[in-house]
Structure formats: C-alpha cells, structure tokens
Amino acid sequence: MLVFPEYGLTGAVLETRAAARFASHKLPEVGTNMCRGESTLGPVRSIACAAAEARAVVVFDLAERVSCARGDKGCREDGFLLYNTAVAIGVDGTLLSRYRKSHLYYEDAFDVPRGENCGIFEAFGYRFGTMVCFDLLFPSPASSLLCRGVDAVVFPTSWVNTPPMMGAMQIQQAFSAAHDTILLAAGIGYSAKTSGSGIYVNGRAIATAFNPTPHPQTQIVVGDLPRRSADPVALLSEAMYDSGERYAASRCGACVAQAPAPPASPLPGLPMPEPSSYAAKLLDATDGTFTISQGNTTCTIRWRGYEVPKDGGAEGALGALAFDGVYMPLFRARLCAVVWCPRGLSSCGASTDDAGGHLKALHIEASDATSANRVAMPMLLAQNGSVAGALDVDANRSFDVPVAGENGIAGAVLFFRDWPSALPH
C-alpha cells in the first residue's frame, strides 16, 4: 500500500476557486475500474493503471469536481461542488473508496460535504478508514470510523506545524495512542512548517520522517503492519453491533457530522493562541509538584531531575500551561502541557522550534478530564521535530512522559477532545 500526502497531486494549497476548478477531476462511482475504458482521464487514470500493474493499493488526495444545478442549496455560481477528496485505488485499478474532507482548514476554494461520507475500504485483510489533515482534531469522522471497526486509518495531510504544540507527528502519534489504532500518515513535506509523516501502531512510532529545512524534500516512510490479532468488532461494546452481523453501521451514527463552513479568509502566520491566553508557570525546582488552572481545566505537573536555569529562565526554561478555550481559533480545546519557553514565562506557549530542559521524570494529568465522553491524546515533541518511540495514556487520563535521551523537550501535551458518549474511545 502506498499513501500520498494531501495536495500531493495538485501541489501547493489551492487558494482560489479558479485554481481548484482547473486542477479538479470528476470521479466515477465507487466500485468502478478506473483503468479500463475512458470514464476517467488524465493523471487519475494513470495512477489507477499503475496501481493495477504493481498490484498495489494506492491512496492519494485530489480536487474532486461534481456538477450541480445553480440555485440549488450549496451549489455555487460556477455550477460545481469542489471537494478536497482522498481516494483509494485497489490492486486491479478499482476505486475502493472516496472520502471528502469534512473539516476544511481555511480552504475557501472547496465545499463542505453533505450527507454520507464514509471513506472505508478493505485490503490485505485489514479494514481501513480515511481522514484528511484537519479532520484529525475533531470527534467525527474518527468516531464513526472506529465504531465501524476499522483496523487502521490512512491519513493524507498538509499539516501546519505549530511547535511546541500540535506538530504533525505529535498529533499523529497522539491519535494512534489515544485510540489504540494504526495510523498511516503522509505529510506534504514542503518545509519544516508543513512536514511530518509516520507509521504508528497503538501509539508506537514504527517509522517517521520530518523535513527540518525551509526547502521541499521528498521522503519515503516504509514499515510493516502487524498481523491482525482479532476481529476489531470484538473490541466494541455489544451495543455497537447485532448478533450475527459483523458491523451494525446504523448504531454508529452518521459517517460525518456536519462540519462548520470554512472561514472567509486565512489568518496571517501560525494560527496559535497568544501566550497571554494560557495560564502559565515555570518549573522552579529540581523536583516538584504543582497545579495550574484555567477555566474548567486543572493540570497537575510532577517532575524530577530538572536543572533550574540560573538566569531565572530569561534564556529559556520549561514551563507548565493550562488552556481551556478556542484554539487556532477553529475548535474547542482543553490541554495541559509542559513546554520550552525560549524567553521566560511571558513566552510560554509561543511558537518556537527550540527544545531544552532535560528531566529525569515528568508526569502530567488533568483532574477535570476523566469523564466518559472525553478522549485524552498524549503528545511529545523533542528537538528537530522528533517524537517518542511509544506513547500511552492511562485510564485516569494521565501521562507519564518518556523523557529519557539527549533531546530536550519542546512540548509534552495532554490534549482533551470531546467524544460522543455512546461510542468507544
């Protein structure tokens, strides 16, 4: 199986409607062989034929064009609906699935999909689900895919890195750890601002790639998936499926909840909260424990073996953050974190590529985030975009951060996301 990044076929973000329409393709129905006949032309057909020749499954992202009647609800003046779409092509060139990105990230050129939008397909004995980039931060489509018993998620992405938190590989590994699943993430790799790819199995990084430079790089991440140990439906609550049926999709809700319309225009620069919007406190002793709160989020931080900066942190120190608010500013977020503050307390939470502050042990927990309808996603980012070998979060939604090694900490984060209460975490 080959997974290509978001915008991998078109290159660059399609910033205008005209550019997206020019680069767009019409797709046949799922189940159509895209290599035979003339129903599909251009590079899409070429990819399908290459997949058939190589006997490979290929997942890639493209701009999809669907004709609509002007005046109909949702139809634009140009008479088309345009979607940011990820497709899976089977080993014989057949279109296995089509998933239209639900949560658009300042993508004014594209339309928000309506109705059923499942990107599920089966190959090599696995049941795969599909998400694209910004989708990863929302309860749906993840909840719908996991409810339907997917073994692994394929994930084309052009992530906007915002170190020391919410970096591409940080969030990829966190998703895999929080949901105890496999994630195959292909990032665009234009530069350090958008790079980050990896293969993750239950929070363990099998293989990763990060481009730390300001220039594009082509990188290939290769890894083997483990054999399936059991039918994933056995791991679901009995309320999720009917006796005698492998999956009961009707009990999982809609494949994709209605996403909000995209904002009218992009924000300048990296869309992070200002440092002043966090509650922040510097680590102030070799060993210690303290709590820090904002809104309904209370964080407890415990650490051991920290070398306290003699200059009071003016040239960098580790600080703890609590955040309860609107992040980026597109989604609700609650998080507890320990991050590198490059210029002391006032810079805690500011964007930085630096890391430092070695520790022997670090523990993060949030006392208000143990409810059944909230999922905890553990993240760790070190120097040069590197992530931990494996991450896990315990049943109490607390996080023992793996801090061994020579790399300092850029950001260790527990990010909490609301989750449909009837669905498995």
Side-chain angles (χ1 to χ4, degrees):
M1 172 181 283
L2 294 90
V3 182
F4 289 92
E6 185 181 23
Y7 295 111
L9 189 60
T10 61
V13 175
L14 299 172
E15 295 183 348
T16 67
R17 182 78 174 180
R21 189 170 62 247
F22 178 79
S24 65
H25 301 269
K26 288 188 175 182
L27 293 175
E29 294 297 318
V30 171
T32 301
N33 191 299
M34 298 171 65
C35 186
R36 299 174 189 159
E38 300 297 328
S39 61
T40 306
L41 301 176
V44 176
R45 184 183 182 195
S46 298
I47 294 171
C49 293
E53 182 178 354
R55 302 294 294 172
V57 172
V58 179
V59 178
F60 63 98
D61 181 81
L62 75 159
E64 180 192 3
R65 182 176 72 254
V66 178
S67 298
C68 60
R70 294 181 180 87
D72 285 356
K73 183 178 180 180
C75 188
R76 297 211 200 181
E77 289 298 317
D78 57 13
F80 296 105
L81 293 169
L82 299 178
Y83 300 112
N84 181 339
T85 298
V87 299
I89 308 297
V91 297
D92 61 352
T94 296
L95 179 60
L96 297 179
S97 74
R98 168 179 52 207
Y99 169 72
R100 294 162 177 165
K101 184 177 180 180
S102 179
H103 299 278
L104 300 174
Y105 184 76
Y106 299 110
E107 295 165 272
D108 299 357
F110 289 112
D111 297 296
V112 177
R114 313 281 174 174
E116 285 292 288
N117 186 28
C118 281
I120 295 176
F121 62 96
E122 300 201 13
F124 313 119
Y126 284 84
R127 186 171 174 88
F128 291 93
T130 311
M131 293 192 290
V132 177
C133 205
F134 202 36
D135 288 330
L136 205 66
L137 288 176
F138 295 85
S140 183
S143 58
S144 297
L145 296 178
L146 295 171
C147 181
R148 285 166 170 77
V150 301
D151 305 292
V153 174
V154 291
F155 183 61
T157 179
S158 178
W159 198 266
V160 178
N161 287 318
T162 58
M165 296 181 286
M166 301 294 179
M169 295 193 301
Q170 269 179 303
I171 196 70
Q172 292 162 15
Q173 186 177 31
F175 180 89
S176 175
H179 300 297
D180 201 27
T181 193
I182 296 169
L183 183 72
L184 312 179
I188 193 66
Y190 279 142
S191 69
K193 296 302 182 186
T194 56
S195 182
S197 303
I199 300 170
Y200 309 89
V201 177
N202 304 337
R204 182 165 55 94
I206 302 300
T208 60
F210 180 76
N211 172 15
T213 77
H215 310 292
Q217 288 184 357
T218 297
Q219 298 172 315
I220 301 175
V221 180
V222 180
D224 295 324
L225 298 187
R227 289 184 178 274
R228 288 179 57 200
S229 58
D231 190 326
V233 77
L235 304 178
L236 301 180
S237 163
E238 290 186 1
M240 294 299 153
Y241 63 96
D242 293 323
S243 177
E245 294 184 13
R246 189 178 181 199
Y247 302 100
S250 62
R251 299 190 179 185
C252 297
C255 272
V256 176
Q258 181 60 52
S265 61
L267 289 175
L270 291 175
M272 294 181 65
E274 292 296 321
S276 59
S277 66
Y278 299 102
K281 184 176 181 178
L282 293 180
L283 275 61
D284 55 3
T286 303
D287 306 325
T289 300
F290 60 61
T291 60
I292 184 170
S293 301
Q294 185 183 77
N296 293 319
T297 299
T298 299
C299 308
T300 299
I301 312 297
R302 293 199 301 270
W303 72 94
R304 182 169 52 85
Y306 174 53
E307 185 176 340
V308 181
K310 295 180 180 179
D311 60 3
E315 295 186 6
L318 287 175
L321 300 178
F323 182 78
D324 182 355
V326 179
Y327 197 91
M328 292 182 106
L330 294 177
F331 61 94
R332 180 81 182 179
R334 300 172 181 86
L335 62 83
C336 297
V338 172
V339 300
W340 182 247
C341 309
R343 297 173 302 280
L345 183 63
S346 64
S347 66
C348 290
S351 180
T352 177
D353 295 322
D354 296 331
H358 296 80
L359 294 162
K360 291 183 179 180
L362 176 62
H363 178 86
I364 303 173
E365 63 181 87
S367 60
D368 70 328
T370 58
S371 61
N373 64 335
R374 200 161 295 155
V375 62
M377 301 178 68
M379 309 182 200
L380 177 63
L381 184 68
Q383 193 73 44
N384 295 324
S386 62
V387 295
L391 292 181
D392 195 12
V393 60
D394 69 19
N396 293 319
R397 311 295 199 268
S398 63
F399 180 25
D400 283 314
V401 183
V403 293
E406 296 182 358
N407 287 335
I409 291 176
V413 186
L414 260 181
F415 166 66
F416 296 96
R417 185 182 60 192
D418 289 338
W419 194 251
S421 58
L423 298 179
H425 291 191

